[in-house]
Amino acid sequence: VNLATTSFIKLRIKLTVQRMDDFKEEYKLPDTMKAITCSKYGEPKQVLKVVEMPVPTPKPNELLIKVYSAALNPVDYKMVSGWLSLFLKKKFPWIVGRDFSGKVIAIGSKIDVKKLWHDKKIQNGTFVCGMVDHMRNDGTFAQYICVTPAYCEPFPTQQLNCHQAASLPLAAMTSYQALLHKGSLKRNDKVLILGGSSGCGVYAIQIAKMCGAAHIAVTSSQHTLCTSLGADQVINYKDENAPVWHELLKGANYDIIMDCVGGSEAWSNAAKVLKKNGAFVTIVGDSKHGSAATFGNVLNQGSTMVNRKFWSLWGNPTYSHFLMDPCVGLAPLMTAVQNGALRAILDESSPYTLEHVVEMFEKQMSHTAHGKLVLQLHDMPAVNNIDNDNNKNDN
């Protein structure tokens, strides 16, 4: 029995290797690719490295993407540092990154290609952007990745290049869900965004604007950037002579506060600014820029959230602290880009190369980026080639 089992395992391995070799030969793929992996939890400079690893073979329900650009988000350094290890267990070494943009170069055998084109306008050669699920072990800082169609959308190539497209998914979808789903944003609402020039803040301003908000106020030291995106009022938190936002806007009856910074003082002062039934939505929580998800912190945050939600039943502002859904909102956001209502915002330090990925993480962790940080994984394709590939239909 042991001999038969061993022979069967050897045969399976042989067939799997043969399938991978045949696949790579059919699609003219290299045997290996470069990726950024995390060897253990810790400081990025100590645990991140550029490695050579085999190019993945897509499962029957997956697309193979040649990744041109990937974006960094605060959740990435929190995952690398082990802040989220209580919930997001990783098998080391794992590929970091959530956001990506690139080109579809192979379609899994069980995907209906006609339906894929009909539903999402995706085929071989289509340039797409998207993100991977937080629970997935491997991420997007790799030259090739495999994803199911639910996690990506074609991007309008006349408005975006690959760096810009990679910067949108997680941050823009987070802002979209925070304002529309949690904040119930509607036309003529008044919106306050704490952290207007943050990675999510720059998209929250534009989304509030395109949804018809009557007044958008933000806290930021980047006045020109925020007003160019649609902010009506910019409160410079670095100006020691200016009143803080909750004193300046006291009694202003805002409908929504979206908190992109964190800190318990944001919620404790929100009622001064919000309508009685207004909405406070935070993507960070009570610690500025977040904190490690220890068992004690989770219990404390959970009891705090229950308490705040209880009092909201009695006419006080509603409280939401949420984790975004990676499959909701990207399609309408791409439509907004195509219509000129939404544009990508990159920090001036972008793009980074594989060799400078640690500097990229350090920039993110310093909280000094104004816009998104992106990583280049392949030479950028010519714009005309992108347009031609995305507009053809061979089916």
Side-chain angles (χ1 to χ4, degrees):
V1 175
N2 289 339
L3 180 61
T5 301
T6 301
S7 299
F8 176 75
I9 292 173
K10 288 181 177 179
L11 178 60
R12 287 288 301 271
I13 293 173
K14 182 178 179 181
L15 290 173
T16 300
V17 171
Q18 182 63 49
R19 175 177 174 265
M20 292 173 66
D21 289 343
D22 292 344
F23 176 83
K24 289 172 182 176
E25 183 177 349
E26 179 183 355
Y27 289 96
K28 297 180 173 59
L29 297 173
D31 291 328
T32 62
M33 65 176 183
K34 291 182 178 179
I36 302 295
T37 62
C38 177
S39 58
K40 60 182 180 180
Y41 295 129
E43 292 294 318
K45 64 182 178 182
Q46 297 173 339
V47 301
L48 297 181
K49 61 175 64 176
V50 182
V51 300
E52 287 277 344
M53 58 179 17
V55 171
T57 300
K59 295 176 183 177
N61 65 333
E62 291 181 330
L63 308 172
L64 178 63
I65 311 292
K66 180 178 181 179
V67 179
Y68 284 94
S69 187
L72 186 67
N73 295 280
V75 70
D76 294 311
Y77 76 73
K78 294 173 184 177
M79 292 171 72
V80 166
S81 300
W83 285 19
L84 305 177
S85 59
L86 184 65
F87 302 108
L88 303 178
K89 299 293 184 182
K90 292 295 183 180
K91 182 180 178 182
F92 297 104
W94 53 278
I95 301 170
V96 301
R98 302 290 98 189
D99 285 330
F100 70 90
S101 70
K103 182 178 181 179
V104 177
I105 58 174
I107 298 175
S109 59
K110 290 189 177 179
I111 295 177
D112 185 329
V113 292
K114 290 185 177 180
K115 187 176 189 301
L116 181 64
W117 175 258
H118 178 271
D119 293 348
K120 307 198 77 163
K121 294 297 181 285
I122 292 176
Q123 61 181 353
N124 271 332
T126 300
F127 280 81
V128 297
C129 65
M131 64 172 289
V132 296
D133 193 279
H134 295 301
M135 304 304 294
R136 170 174 161 157
N137 195 67
D138 283 331
T140 60
F141 283 20
Q143 292 181 310
Y144 296 88
I145 64 169
C146 299
V147 297
T148 58
Y151 289 89
C152 63
E153 294 289 341
F155 65 84
T157 54
Q158 293 184 341
Q159 285 81 14
L160 299 173
N161 61 34
C162 288
H163 292 325
Q164 295 166 330
S167 77
L168 283 159
L170 192 151
M173 283 195 287
T174 297
S175 297
Y176 180 89
Q177 293 171 32
L179 290 173
L180 275 73
H181 297 174
K182 297 297 182 179
S184 300
L185 174 65
K186 57 188 179 299
R187 184 169 294 278
N188 294 322
D189 275 355
K190 295 173 67 176
V191 180
L192 170 61
I193 300 163
L194 305 180
S197 57
S198 64
C200 285
V202 294
Y203 296 124
I205 296 170
Q206 297 179 79
I207 292 168
K209 190 73 173 180
M210 75 184 193
C211 291
H215 183 83
I216 304 168
V218 303
T219 60
S220 174
S221 61
Q222 304 298 307
H223 185 278
T224 301
L225 171 62
C226 292
T227 54
S228 73
L229 298 175
D232 300 294
Q233 183 178 4
V234 180
I235 303 166
N236 186 353
Y237 65 93
K238 290 185 177 181
D239 185 351
E240 296 179 357
N241 297 318
V244 293
W245 61 268
H246 49 83
E247 293 299 333
L248 183 64
L249 303 177
K250 188 175 182 178
N253 289 325
Y254 277 74
D255 296 279
I256 304 169
I257 294 177
M258 178 177 169
D259 171 32
C260 304
V261 179
S264 58
E265 69 276 7
W267 166 252
S268 62
N269 288 293
K272 298 176 184 178
V273 174
L274 287 169
K275 290 179 176 178
K276 195 167 181 62
N277 61 344
F280 179 90
V281 185
T282 180
I283 62 173
V284 186
D286 279 356
S287 297
K288 281 209 170 184
H289 309 297
S291 60
T294 63
F295 188 70
N297 284 346
V298 171
L299 282 178
N300 183 61
Q301 182 63 38
S303 62
T304 299
M305 189 179 301
V306 169
N307 180 61
R308 292 171 183 175
K309 287 185 176 294
F310 171 79
W311 287 109
S312 70
L313 298 174
W314 301 91
N316 292 296
T318 61
Y319 177 86
S320 297
H321 182 190
F322 79 109
L323 182 66
M324 57 86 66
D325 185 329
C327 295
V328 175
L330 190 55
L333 289 169
M334 291 301 103
T335 299
V337 171
Q338 192 162 21
N339 294 338
L342 183 68
R343 60 187 175 97
I345 306 297
L346 304 184
D347 185 78
E348 62 182 7
S349 64
S350 292
Y352 290 78
T353 62
L354 285 164
E355 293 72 23
H356 294 94
V357 72
V358 171
E359 289 95 321
M360 184 183 183
F361 269 78
E362 290 174 344
K363 177 72 172 179
Q364 182 76 67
M365 294 168 71
S366 73
H367 309 293
T368 59
H370 303 299
K372 294 303 296 291
L373 305 176
V374 296
L375 174 70
Q376 182 167 321
L377 289 146
H378 279 107
D379 291 338
M380 289 293 102
V383 173
N384 288 340
N385 289 342
I386 294 181
D387 288 341
N388 291 336
D389 286 338
N390 267 17
N391 290 327
K392 71 181 182 180
N393 181 4
D394 297 331
N395 295 324

